[in-house]
Amino acid sequence: MIRREGRIGSASPRRTRRTQDHEGRTEATVGKESHTSTSKTRGSRRWSGRRGREAGVARVDRRTKDLVPRAEPGDIAVIDHEDLDRVAADGLVAAGVAAVVNASASISGRYPNLGPLILIEAGIPLIDRVGPLLMTKVREGDVLRLSGDRLYVGDRLAAVGILQSHASVLRDMESAEDSLGQRFESFARNTLEYLQVERDLLFGGSGLPELRHELSGRPVLVVVRGYSYREDLAALRAYIRDIRPVLVGVDGGADALLDEGYVPHLILGDMDSVSDRALELALKKPRRRPPTELVLHAYMDGDAPGGARLDRLGVPYTTVRSAGTSEDVAFMLAHEKRAELIVAVGTHGNLREFLDKGRSGMSSTFLVRLRVGEILVDAKGVSRIYGNSRIRARDTFLLVGSALLTMLIVVAAISPSVRLFFDLAFEHVREWFFHLKEIV
């Protein structure tokens, strides 16, 4: 681990100005490594070396979602992520990274994505538009130094980019607002194209696999490791315990369920962001239910890159072809299997979130929401309704038990015959203990 002293890139603009040197640069220098806590919270970030100098070790990956699990508090994330979305930024903040260096444009201007603003408001410096050669010049584990818009590997200048500020991010987002019209038109075209390609799946369930788990007439909880999924799962704890829905993890959503102590009944996705421990559940055979089922999401031409991984692990799986997203396939599968209710955790719920995902395939989500809308409910709505109106069986048992105990005490206190019964019972128990003592 890396130990750090002081803070740079505070969320407060005044504090940021005080840490700048006389040339107007904010310098972050790497110190020596030392052992410290590995808690992945922003409050646990520590500092080493001289005050105002940042320690950081490079974590390098073109896929931000693959980098986040490896990141430790104080590391410097080196990514190549155009239009940095909210989910990726939330993951970097939660990991406690000290800074983010992006080879691409964090806001390209296509639409006002939220990721860069989340980083800046969390006090995490962002160096932008460094260029594609960054990914070859910086290696995993390199010790880095940031000086203004410059990135050093040791004493060697590796790259120069744009040091983003709160004002510059807001300015880029305002400029991107002008492109929203074009994005909406593109979104509408992609929606119509998806309707033509997936018409049979949308309206007839064509190509969906058969399942060993029974979904008909049962509530289904679909978990995507997306927006506020941790908070949603925590709020649904009572609902899951009492109602016992079918648990469906979409890729990394399976690990989200495992982290909360639940075992998914079904894992669906391209299997690029789910752990081996989740996939190996398909090999276990619980006594009271079928083992976890794996459904591999393939492209329309049948290509499924995740299949090689599943074959290597030796786990059984079925395949479904779809041009949409994995969460859309999960919704359609539950709907076509006649689920009573679909509760969505961490999924995309509005047009800004669709655009923030940055994929043309997100247009499928719009149509799927329309198709399954009569049984689809957001997790936040379920937690509010269920938490306010549901009386749990345990609470009912405690209430009835307390009432019976109170009645028994009252009767025992006012009835001579009941008091005599308890006195005799007590004497018998005491004599039994004395007899037992003599035998021993």
Side-chain angles (χ1 to χ4, degrees):
M1 275 300 300
I2 300 299
R3 182 180 173 87
R4 304 180 290 170
E5 295 179 27
R7 293 176 71 97
I8 71 167
S10 166
S12 169
R14 295 182 181 177
R15 181 157 185 155
T16 303
R17 284 195 292 270
R18 285 200 298 269
T19 61
Q20 292 177 343
D21 59 19
H22 64 280
E23 296 178 356
R25 298 178 303 178
T26 301
E27 182 169 349
T29 306
V30 174
K32 295 181 179 181
E33 290 194 26
S34 64
H35 297 285
T36 185
S37 170
T38 60
S39 173
K40 289 192 175 185
T41 60
R42 280 182 288 156
S44 67
R45 280 192 263 169
R46 297 172 180 261
W47 303 78
S48 65
R50 294 178 292 174
R51 183 173 296 277
R53 291 180 174 248
E54 178 188 21
V57 171
R59 299 297 173 202
V60 185
D61 208 303
R62 294 184 183 275
R63 295 168 63 90
T64 308
K65 67 178 181 180
D66 293 338
L67 180 147
V68 168
R70 307 197 311 269
E72 297 287 345
D75 291 344
I76 295 178
V78 180
I79 60 177
D80 187 3
H81 193 152
E82 186 176 65
D83 291 325
L84 186 66
D85 60 87
R86 173 181 165 185
V87 173
D90 285 339
L92 292 168
V93 172
V97 298
V100 176
V101 183
N102 194 353
S104 298
S106 296
I107 301 179
S108 68
R110 293 185 301 169
Y111 70 101
N113 51 300
L114 302 174
L117 186 62
I118 290 173
L119 293 179
I120 297 299
E121 290 184 343
I124 298 177
L126 171 62
I127 297 181
D128 214 8
R129 300 174 185 264
V130 177
L133 292 179
L134 171 71
M135 309 307 292
T136 60
K137 291 183 177 180
V138 180
R139 295 175 296 179
E140 183 86 4
D142 282 347
V143 181
L144 304 181
R145 177 167 63 93
L146 305 181
S147 179
D149 58 0
R150 299 172 183 268
L151 172 68
Y152 293 86
V153 178
D155 294 328
R156 173 175 60 87
L157 177 63
V160 179
I162 299 174
L163 179 62
Q164 295 284 12
S165 65
H166 193 271
S168 66
V169 168
L170 289 179
R171 185 167 57 249
D172 290 343
M173 292 181 69
E174 290 176 1
S175 298
E177 292 280 354
D178 298 335
S179 302
L180 275 180
Q182 297 178 358
R183 292 290 291 170
F184 288 155
E185 291 178 6
S186 175
F187 186 86
R189 287 195 299 270
N190 290 329
T191 300
L192 293 176
E193 291 173 2
Y194 176 80
L195 180 60
Q196 293 175 348
V197 173
E198 296 280 39
R199 179 175 51 198
D200 294 338
L201 173 63
L202 276 172
F203 300 104
S206 175
L208 292 175
E210 294 297 325
L211 301 176
R212 284 171 289 179
H213 288 85
E214 183 61 45
L215 274 59
S216 178
R218 298 185 61 187
V220 175
L221 183 72
V222 177
V223 180
V224 179
R225 197 157 56 182
Y227 304 110
S228 306
Y229 73 93
R230 291 190 182 91
E231 294 80 359
D232 287 348
L233 280 177
L236 290 173
R237 185 170 295 275
Y239 174 81
I240 297 173
R241 181 188 62 239
D242 296 342
I243 303 302
R244 298 185 180 278
V246 177
L247 302 178
V248 179
V250 177
D251 274 324
D255 290 294
L257 286 167
L258 289 173
D259 291 342
E260 293 296 324
Y262 307 116
V263 177
H265 300 92
L266 178 68
I267 301 176
L268 189 150
D270 52 17
M271 309 303 174
D272 65 338
S273 60
V274 61
S275 67
D276 287 350
R277 66 162 180 162
L279 296 177
E280 289 171 354
L281 292 172
L283 299 174
K284 299 180 180 180
K285 296 182 179 180
R287 293 182 179 180
R288 299 182 179 179
R289 64 176 181 84
T292 299
E293 294 184 70
L294 305 181
V295 179
L296 177 62
H297 181 194
Y299 297 112
M300 290 300 295
D301 60 3
D303 182 31
R309 180 187 180 192
L310 299 182
D311 293 336
R312 186 176 66 253
L313 292 173
V315 295
Y317 65 93
T318 57
T319 302
V320 58
R321 299 184 184 186
S322 175
T325 66
S326 296
E327 68 183 73
D328 298 334
V329 177
F331 288 151
M332 288 301 303
L333 185 60
H335 184 268
E336 293 301 323
K337 300 302 180 183
R338 301 186 182 280
E340 176 188 38
L341 185 72
I342 302 175
V343 180
V345 174
T347 60
H348 306 84
N350 55 59
L351 191 55
R352 175 177 284 274
E353 292 177 354
F354 298 160
L355 296 177
D356 193 44
K357 191 63 179 177
R359 296 209 307 256
S360 59
M362 288 305 297
S363 58
S364 67
T365 303
F366 178 71
L367 287 174
V368 170
R369 292 300 192 282
L370 293 178
R371 181 72 178 95
V372 306
E374 71 272 13
I375 61 172
L376 179 64
V377 182
D378 184 72
K380 294 180 178 60
V382 172
S383 63
R384 291 169 185 167
I385 297 173
Y386 185 84
N388 293 333
S389 62
R390 181 76 176 182
I391 300 177
R392 294 180 294 180
R394 184 182 64 179
D395 297 336
T396 304
F397 175 77
L398 291 175
L399 179 62
V400 174
S402 299
L404 292 176
L405 180 61
T406 302
M407 293 173 60
L408 184 60
I409 293 174
V410 171
V411 171
I414 64 175
S415 173
S417 59
V418 175
R419 287 203 306 271
L420 178 60
F421 170 77
F422 279 110
D423 289 341
L424 290 174
F426 176 75
E427 289 296 331
H428 280 297
V429 172
R430 187 172 66 170
E431 289 178 4
W432 183 79
F433 273 110
F434 278 122
H435 181 66
L436 182 63
K437 184 177 181 182
E438 290 175 357
I439 294 176
V440 176

